Amino acid sequence: MSWTEERIGTLTKMWEGGSTASQIAEQLGGVSRNAVIGKAHRLGLKARPSPVKAKDTKKAPAKKKAAAAPAAKPAARKPAAPARQAAPAAAPSAAPTPSPAQSGIPSQPMPNKQNDLPKIVSYGPGGFLRQGPGDQQPPIPPAPPRRLVPAKPSPEMAEKTSLLDLNERVCRWPMGHPGEPDFHFCGVKVNPGFPYCVEHCGRAYQAQLPRGARRPPPPLPFGGPRVR
DNA sequence: CCCTGATTCGC
DNA sequence: GCGAATCAGG
């Protein structure tokens, strides 16, 4: 993937909008978080609250691949004097995002201390801005439904891995069947490099046996007869 | 552990 | 210029 004008635009907007490098990378696709950060810096976009404070320039310089590059060129190394760290003091941005209007009820503009509304941005394919809190045309809050049913996960569904809980590092093996009230996913930490945990990898991946020597197949995760 | 951004440096 | 590797704090 190359940094086209458009992708740079997306990067810039999202970076300035407060999206994390990971989110930006995910949105752009084809690039890593590091690539995003690197590009952002090359674009001169930096200056964002970093978890890493300016480290002492006098010691603990990064040596890195000194071992890999044996005395090739000990060029004058600038331990990088982080003269940056400008001062976003005006807007330190503390609150992550209280996800407004979740209740569906038009809420009074809560007297947010500091009056610093958290920026909420969303980007569509191509990087256009879908919505911004400070925009002149905030979306009209939808009429609240007659009855707000609190999303109360049943006690037994708590702790269960739902579809939305799936990510790169939990086992996606389905437990039960879709549509059933207690359908969920295994959720155990995956066998690295696989979409399933070790146990379910054993079920998902089986050695190909010669014809005639096939074992009766194990129950299929989907499509098989329901056995309960 | 997970996440974050910053920095370096081989390519 | 690019981005993986690495660092370092939360």
Side-chain angles (χ1 to χ4, degrees), chain A residues 115-173:
Chain A
N115 190 22
D116 58 319
L117 296 176
K119 256 193 171 179
I120 301 168
V121 290
S122 178
Y123 300 89
F128 65 85
L129 193 63
R130 279 199 180 118
Q131 173 188 342
D135 291 352
Q136 296 131 346
Q137 295 293 335
I140 303 170
R146 294 282 178 192
R147 196 183 299 267
L148 287 180
V149 180
K152 54 175 176 192
S154 57
E156 51 249 59
M157 274 313 283
E159 302 292 316
K160 295 288 203 309
T161 301
S162 78
L163 179 63
L164 296 180
D165 295 327
L166 289 182
N167 62 46
E168 295 281 340
R169 59 195 88 82
V170 301
C171 178
R172 300 162 176 272
W173 192 269

Side-chain angles (χ1 to χ4, degrees), chain A residues 21-117:
Chain A
S22 295
Q23 292 170 329
I24 298 171
E26 186 182 354
Q27 168 68 38
L28 289 173
V31 288
S32 68
R33 179 183 73 93
N34 276 325
V36 167
I37 293 174
K39 183 60 178 175
H41 285 199
R42 261 171 262 124
L43 289 171
L45 290 179
K46 51 180 164 26
R48 298 217 301 172
S50 164
V52 180
K53 284 184 295 198
K55 109 179 97 163
D56 195 316
T57 59
K58 287 182 296 187
K59 60 179 203 171
K63 45 197 171 210
K64 308 258 161 295
K65 319 202 170 167
K73 45 183 295 186
R77 181 132 308 132
K78 182 183 68 168
R84 97 191 59 66
Q85 216 62 26
S93 82
T97 291
S99 73
Q102 191 89 64
S103 66
I105 299 176
S107 54
Q108 287 280 41
M110 247 182 18
N112 198 334
K113 56 183 176 182
Q114 305 288 328
N115 190 22
D116 58 319
L117 296 176

